[in-house]
Amino acid sequence: KNTAPCIAYAAAKISALNPDANLIVCPSDHLIVKEDRFRAIIETALADSAQTNSIVTIGINPTQPHTGYGYIEIDASADRTPGSVSNVKQFREKPDLQTAKGFINAGTFFWNSGIFIWKASTIIGALKNYQNDIYELFCSNTTQYNTSNEQEFVDSAFNQSKDISIDYAILEKANNVKVVVSDFDWSDLGTWGSLADHIQKDENANAII
């Protein structure tokens, strides 16, 4: 059912154990090369989210006009130094090549990594405001979580839930979204092109695992 119901379930289950919990949402098919830098960026995002109750995402400085990634736009006056935190102006869907070139030339766009940081209470509040039907299914009654009834409860909730990504459900609607500008050498291995960039080539430029 996509990422919004999944995140709603995780946030509600963890909130039932600890209402003040911090959550980090990371896709599983990403390559992080500079792990120490990644940890530092995540710590910056956690600190900002905890202090301001913001929805925080990680923006990757683009190295090419990639058409397979979504983009995050910030104001031209915002700090673009790696490690800085800026308000998100808007999210842009995967562009065509000409649009992507325009994004790169503008200098105010970053690749959307799909990595999100927030307090459990923050994302649950956002679900209640912007996706009340998902909130009602997963978050309105947390007494079933962490009990023997959880599987049946969750099966029923997912069966009734709509299919929607967290980007469409929350990020494109909320007004408290921030981005941490990052420089930890990231790649989304969900595309063949991205995978090929990180595999040793032979003399014919072929890559084999």
Side-chain angles (χ1 to χ4, degrees):
K1 291 296 182 74
N2 219 312
T3 50
C6 174
I7 288 169
Y9 169 33
K13 178 178 173 66
I14 293 169
S15 179
L17 296 171
N18 178 8
D20 295 322
N22 296 303
L23 308 183
I24 305 169
V25 179
C26 292
S28 61
D29 60 351
H30 289 188
L31 176 66
I32 307 294
V33 177
K34 300 176 183 177
E35 293 184 12
D36 289 342
R37 184 58 177 158
F38 174 70
R39 278 191 285 269
I41 293 292
I42 292 296
E43 287 171 3
T44 297
L46 280 169
D48 189 85
S49 175
Q51 291 170 6
T52 65
N53 293 321
S54 297
I55 292 170
V56 183
T57 185
I58 304 299
I60 309 297
N61 204 16
T63 57
Q64 57 178 305
H66 206 300
T67 59
Y69 300 152
Y71 286 73
I72 301 167
E73 183 181 7
I74 62 174
D75 285 326
S77 60
D79 188 354
R80 284 169 266 179
T81 307
S84 62
V85 184
S86 299
N87 292 321
V88 171
K89 185 175 180 180
Q90 64 177 328
F91 288 86
R92 301 291 291 269
E93 294 305 313
K94 297 174 183 178
D96 59 30
L97 184 58
Q98 278 305 115
T99 303
K101 288 179 179 178
F103 289 172
I104 300 299
N105 291 335
T108 55
F109 288 83
F110 300 89
W111 287 337
N112 183 0
S113 67
I115 300 171
F116 308 115
I117 299 91
W118 42 49
K119 293 177 68 174
S121 57
T122 298
I123 192 61
I124 289 172
L127 287 163
K128 186 174 184 179
N129 288 338
Y130 301 109
Q131 299 293 333
N132 191 255
D133 52 344
I134 294 179
Y135 168 84
E136 288 294 332
L137 286 172
F138 291 95
C139 309
S140 62
N141 176 16
T142 60
T143 60
Q144 303 300 305
Y145 292 121
N146 309 298
T147 73
S148 59
N149 298 325
E150 178 176 341
Q151 189 64 61
E152 182 180 358
F153 176 82
V154 171
D155 287 347
S156 175
F158 270 99
N159 186 53
Q160 297 175 69
S161 179
K162 61 187 175 186
D163 177 342
I164 187 171
S165 72
I166 197 68
D167 299 76
Y168 283 122
I170 301 297
L171 272 76
E172 293 185 2
K173 296 178 171 62
N175 56 11
N176 62 332
V177 184
K178 296 184 178 181
V179 60
V180 181
V181 179
S182 306
D183 58 349
F184 49 72
D185 199 357
W186 167 94
S187 182
D188 175 0
L189 299 183
T191 65
W192 290 114
S194 296
L195 182 61
D197 288 342
H198 295 277
I199 302 176
Q200 186 173 352
K201 313 292 193 306
D202 63 18
E203 66 274 12
N204 297 313
N206 294 319
I208 301 172
I209 300 177

